[in-house]
Amino acid sequence: MKILITGGAGFMGSNAVKYFLKNYPDIQIVNLDKLTYAGNLENLKEVENDFRYKFIKGDIADEKLVDEVVKDIDVIINYAAETHVDRSILDPKAFITTDVLGTYALLEAARKYNIKKYIQISTDEVFGSINNGKFTEESPFEPNSPYAASKAGGDHLCRSYFKTYGIPVIVTHSCNFFGPYQYPEKLIPLFITNLLENKKVPVYGDGQQVREWIFTEDHCRAIDAILQKGEIGEVYNIGTGNEIPNIEITKILLKKIGKDESSIDHVKDRPGHDRRYAIDSTKLRKLGWQPEVNFEQGIKQTVDWYEQNEQWWKRIKSGEYLEYYKKQYQV
Ligand code: NAD
Ligand code: DAU
């Protein structure tokens, strides 16, 4: 089977490339990634010489290139996206281009070349915020940030390509990812690396916003289950039940890194900040998937990884990594 993984140089995309190569000896993976600020080929060092793996630098919104790449592909898994909510508030355009028009270009190619399965990696944020209970796959979309709205746009296109053209699409809505190789702009890696640098951590508003967390390998296993057993035209929520308020996560990290609450900087809240995400993943669990890494194990592995891989995140935080990997990888 030949799989196109888009955004495979990013956080979860690179974990997925490594996961599939490790678990499927006969697989071939093509990684199409634009290498935005979030794409980093260092994440893929251990597989870069694997004969089953090929990297192509390019934009999923480039219709001509996508047509060329998809020609001999069996399955598309679309991880590529602009992903950071704060960046979408400052500058939404790239989000609309990649998350909506990029999805369109991939779906058009899937339509032309009889792709066997197209999996859209999406987010629980499309449902908006929920104070009580959980979102199901049938909950209406109520996106509150330009990021969430762009992802919702891509997801709606997926649904329409299934209904109108019969393209074998599956859409997934996951809760928040965490683990090694996450770009240090998201809550957990930003806070770990700030604390390791003896800097303060910026907690937005009252810190009582709740997110549900999934460790990298559990998300990879969920996508694997959906690839093997997921039904075409269906939507699957990916959730763990690990719901934790931001301030609690902050305190866990302070303790692990040996800091006290004087390292907290209470800053102005994010505009349109969603209060709580929680999703019902009963449907996915019926495929035989369940999370295997609890939050405590995952956070220990994550903190240990950032402690042991200073060079990776220091290069990113200093801005030096762009120059480094242009030279290293000639891209
Ligand atoms: P990331 O920001 O770490 O990486 C995104 C990758 O996509 C980068 O390698 C980047 O270079 C690439 N990319 C961006 N625009 C591109 C384009 N136009 N063409 C080709 N490549 C492009 O991403 P992540 O946080 O690992 O998220 C992966 C996917 O999962 C996204 O679709 C995101 O919406 C979704 N998601 C993320 C989370 C989360 O907590 N991070 C949760 C649920 C769903
Ligand atoms: O729910 C899935 C989504 O999770 C994904 O679709 C997004 O791609 C991903 O970025 C993430 O969005 P969040 O906004 O939940 O993640 P972020 O790490 O930016 O923030 C997590 C929570 O922490 C949120 O309530 C905002 C808060 N926060 C974040 C940062 C970066 C802070 O309090 N301070 C910060 O500096």
Side-chain angles (χ1 to χ4, degrees), residues 10-12 33-34 36 39 59-60 79 83 98 147 151 177:
F11 165 49
M12 193 55 84
D33 196 298
K34 187 179 173 185
T36 66
D59 189 336
I60 58 162
Y79 288 85
T83 62
T98 291
Y147 162 70
K151 290 296 289 186
F177 305 159

Side-chain angles (χ1 to χ4, degrees), residues 81-86 122-126 145 147-148 151 174-177 182 185-191 194 201-205 207-213 246-247 250 265 267-270 273-275 277:
E82 289 292 336
T83 62
H84 195 45
V85 174
D86 295 320
S122 191
T123 169
D124 56 5
E125 296 205 8
V126 296
S145 70
Y147 162 70
K151 290 296 289 186
S174 177
C175 62
N176 285 55
F177 305 159
Q182 188 167 29
E185 63 183 353
K186 306 286 190 325
L187 177 80
I188 290 179
L190 177 71
F191 281 22
N194 273 13
V201 293
V203 171
Y204 296 163
Q208 294 299 339
Q209 305 82 7
V210 173
R211 297 292 182 266
E212 183 175 341
W213 294 93
N246 296 337
I247 194 71
T250 307
D265 194 4
V267 299
K268 211 170 146 214
D269 209 351
R270 171 187 275 173
H273 198 171
D274 287 331
R275 197 70 183 161
Y277 302 139

